[in-house]
Amino acid sequence: NEDARKGGAVALAACAIGLKKANEGRRDVTECRDLILASVVHACQDHSQRVRYYATESLFNVTKVIPSLAVQHFFILFEILRSLYADVDLDVRSGAELLDKKLKEVIVGAINSGSFSADACVPVFARFVYMRNKATKQLTLTWLKEFSEKLIGAPILQFLHLFLGGIFAMVADPNAAIRQLALEFLQSVLPKLLVNNEDFEDGQQMKVDFDKILQSLVLTMEHPDPFVRKVAMYWMSRIVQAHMSSAFPANELNHGRGDDPDTSLDADSTKGERGG
């Protein structure tokens, strides 16, 4: 019965709210919370679009009232989020966007507080970057951009070499939204590569694999799209210039060289490269 399944999804969220202040150390409380989450996730895969919508709303509420549960089962939630994000029903996709926003808030907060680690999830995102599914690529890009902008100490840089080639490939994606998101991510992360490690807020030593990043850029310079090659060359020049300037005095680098042309890149420059 569809109405019963819808009612069950809503009731499970109400149960989660009731367990919000329960002692997490109790075994029965943990089991109840896990059962609630598993049941709501199952309802998100229902064949009825109305049941999926109410289940998505319930999953949002569970994530909101018991964020620790969302952190503990993040990979399950992200998998179901990928499915909901690409749902055929507009209302379900709208609910998925709200769930996505709340889950980002919870996970970023957990990583910044030390209760979760970027090491656990960024390599998973790296795999999704290379998938062909449009919705998955778009969702993954929003997560990578969120991590780049909001995580203290920019730990995403340690894994950048794993997916940088895939991001550059998306700059030439047929979908305009994916192209825009890819450029926004590249513009967000490049300045963080150009600062000294000790300048990060958390003061921790960053381990950025510049060799592999440069190797990825060299390969990207062979991309058939001219704008992708242009962006890769810009990245290469900025990285090399930043690291050369730290090794040699500024007057040695600038001797005999005029001012650099304006090489800033933005989404509007794709129009000129692709003929409007």
Side-chain angles (χ1 to χ4, degrees):
N1 184 292
E2 181 178 320
D3 289 334
R5 298 198 304 277
K6 285 193 300 185
V10 174
L12 287 168
C15 292
I17 294 172
L19 289 171
K20 179 180 179 179
K21 296 183 179 180
N23 183 0
E24 294 187 4
R26 290 178 51 179
R27 182 177 178 180
D28 56 343
V29 171
T30 301
E31 290 177 350
C32 283
R33 287 180 172 181
D34 288 345
L35 182 59
I36 288 171
L37 182 65
S39 301
V40 174
V41 165
H42 180 74
C44 286
Q45 303 169 74
D46 196 276
H47 60 82
S48 166
Q49 61 189 42
R50 301 314 300 159
V51 173
R52 293 198 304 275
Y53 171 76
Y54 282 102
T56 303
E57 186 179 74
S58 295
L59 191 54
F60 170 89
N61 288 325
V62 172
T63 301
K64 180 179 179 179
V65 299
I66 315 178
S68 60
L69 191 65
V71 173
Q72 182 183 356
H73 298 286
F74 168 68
F75 298 106
I76 295 174
L77 293 186
F78 189 78
E79 282 295 331
I80 200 65
L81 178 61
R82 286 204 304 129
S83 174
L84 296 170
Y85 205 77
D87 199 277
V88 295
D89 184 72
L90 178 60
D91 289 337
V92 174
R93 293 200 304 272
S94 298
E97 289 176 3
L98 293 175
L99 172 62
D100 176 47
K101 184 177 180 181
K102 175 55 65 176
L103 191 58
K104 283 188 177 92
E105 178 186 317
V106 168
I107 297 301
V108 167
I111 293 175
N112 284 337
S113 67
S115 58
F116 195 53
S117 171
D119 300 16
C121 52
V122 175
V124 176
F125 294 150
R127 176 168 58 89
F128 292 141
V129 163
Y130 294 96
M131 288 188 172
R132 293 185 178 182
N133 182 275
K134 180 180 72 173
T136 293
K137 289 196 293 186
Q138 190 168 340
L139 178 64
T140 303
L141 277 169
T142 66
W143 274 83
L144 291 173
K145 187 171 180 285
E146 186 87 359
F147 277 18
S148 172
E149 294 176 348
K150 296 186 178 180
L151 291 187
I152 297 172
I156 193 173
L157 297 181
Q158 299 180 56
F159 309 98
L160 186 61
H161 63 280
L162 297 176
F163 57 85
L164 185 61
I167 300 293
F168 271 99
M170 290 186 199
V171 173
D173 195 274
N175 182 274
I178 291 177
R179 292 198 304 270
Q180 178 69 28
L181 284 168
L183 280 171
E184 288 176 358
F185 173 78
L186 292 173
Q187 291 169 343
S188 169
V189 80
L190 179 58
K192 296 175 174 59
L193 278 176
L194 304 181
V195 301
N196 294 325
N197 293 339
E198 57 269 23
D199 289 341
F200 286 113
E201 292 180 28
D202 63 357
Q204 295 179 356
Q205 182 72 17
M206 296 292 296
K207 297 179 180 179
V208 182
D209 197 330
F210 280 101
D211 287 342
K212 291 184 178 179
I213 288 175
L214 293 175
Q215 289 173 17
S216 179
L217 292 174
V218 169
L219 292 175
T220 302
M221 289 179 189
E222 299 177 1
H223 195 280
D225 188 287
F227 184 70
V228 174
R229 297 197 300 269
K230 179 180 177 181
V231 180
M233 290 176 66
Y234 177 72
W235 264 59
M236 178 75 79
S237 66
R238 291 295 307 275
I239 292 173
V240 171
Q241 183 181 26
H243 286 270
M244 287 290 288
S245 64
S246 66
F248 299 97
N251 60 339
E252 291 184 18
L253 287 175
N254 296 327
H255 180 66
R257 190 184 74 184
D259 293 336
D260 287 338
D262 181 9
T263 54
S264 60
L265 299 172
D266 54 43
D268 291 337
S269 27
T270 62
K271 297 178 181 178
E273 293 291 339
R274 297 193 173 92

